[in-house]
Amino acid sequence: MISPLLSLTTRFLIGALPRWQASQPEHRQRIYFANHTSHLDTLAIWSSLPAELRKTTRPVAARDYWDKAGVRRHIATQGLNVVFISRDKQSGDPLSPLYEALENGDSLIIFPEGTRHFSPLPAPFKSGLYYLAQKFKTVELIPVYLDNTRRCLPKGSLIPVPLACTVTYGAPLEAIEHEEKAAFLQRAREAVIALAPTEITTD
């Protein structure tokens, strides 16, 4: 029962209103990649998906933050079925758990910046998304822009502010044969930025 309750609570508090642009919610294996400004981002994207898609869509989250005893771990494991990754460089390939999830047919929610940034536009993307795209060429890459989550849960705050948050989904990122890593990551970042409100991108 925790998953429906999480979704209902998130939508009640911050809306998490989905806007589908040039793509639709479908039963296809996907990697949703988004800007990252708040600890609410994972819940916002996951809650905005239809219930049937939530069953097979797993957020990716840092083990050192979410996998601890208490409420956060219970939400991550029992509610969201999170794929944990380690930020410890000594623990091997951090993408291994993501490879396993994709090989099992799951979809993923990831934040290619690697950590939160409080600017409304995403920082440069780290290389993980590129390696996932190279290894799983049939999985659709869907850019997502989260608007207002940084205001819903400001840095240092524990209680969300009840403001409307929107989750905008863009067109699948098309593959370009032999594209270099830097060009791919820049193109992916620009796909997220293109979904931001005009007043943000023109500031």
Side-chain angles (χ1 to χ4, degrees):
M1 290 298 294
I2 187 172
S3 294
L5 182 60
L6 275 174
S7 176
L8 183 64
T9 302
T10 301
R11 284 182 283 144
F12 174 76
L13 287 174
I14 65 171
L17 304 171
R19 293 179 178 172
W20 294 88
Q21 295 184 3
S23 62
Q24 293 296 321
E26 298 177 18
H27 287 279
R28 302 186 58 154
Q29 191 177 21
R30 288 171 161 173
I31 298 173
Y32 301 96
F33 62 97
N35 57 312
H36 193 19
T37 63
S38 167
H39 286 312
L40 287 175
D41 293 343
T42 295
L43 281 167
I45 297 176
W46 182 82
S47 297
S48 75
L49 295 170
E52 286 302 307
L53 295 188
R54 292 199 300 268
K55 294 177 182 178
T56 56
T57 302
R58 304 180 64 187
V60 175
R63 182 178 297 278
D64 59 302
Y65 179 79
W66 285 97
D67 192 18
K68 295 180 179 179
V71 174
R72 275 185 296 195
R73 188 177 194 282
H74 189 69
I75 288 173
T77 58
Q78 302 303 311
L80 299 173
N81 193 21
V82 158
V83 179
F84 291 117
I85 57 172
S86 175
R87 292 189 281 198
D88 180 1
K89 295 181 179 180
Q90 306 303 316
S91 60
D93 185 352
L95 297 179
S96 292
L98 281 64
Y99 295 155
E100 182 178 353
L102 290 168
E103 286 165 356
N104 289 335
D106 294 323
S107 294
L108 298 177
I109 297 170
I110 71 171
F111 302 101
E113 294 167 88
T115 189
R116 288 174 299 152
H117 291 88
F118 299 101
S119 167
L121 297 180
F125 285 0
K126 296 187 181 300
S127 59
L129 181 63
Y130 171 79
Y131 293 120
L132 293 174
Q134 290 294 303
K135 189 173 178 67
F136 297 91
K137 295 182 183 296
T138 62
V139 176
E140 277 195 338
L141 305 178
I142 303 292
V144 183
Y145 183 81
L146 290 158
D147 186 31
N148 232 17
T149 53
R150 68 189 187 282
R151 296 190 181 97
C152 291
L153 190 67
K155 185 176 181 179
S157 177
L158 297 177
I159 301 175
V161 177
L163 297 171
C165 163
T166 56
V167 185
T168 303
Y169 295 87
L173 193 70
E174 295 184 4
I176 297 178
E177 193 172 0
H178 305 307
E179 185 176 26
E180 294 185 357
K181 180 173 68 174
F184 169 86
L185 293 173
Q186 180 60 25
R187 188 163 62 92
R189 178 174 178 265
E190 288 172 356
V192 173
I193 292 172
L195 301 173
T198 304
E199 62 270 20
I200 290 176
T201 57
T202 57
D203 270 354

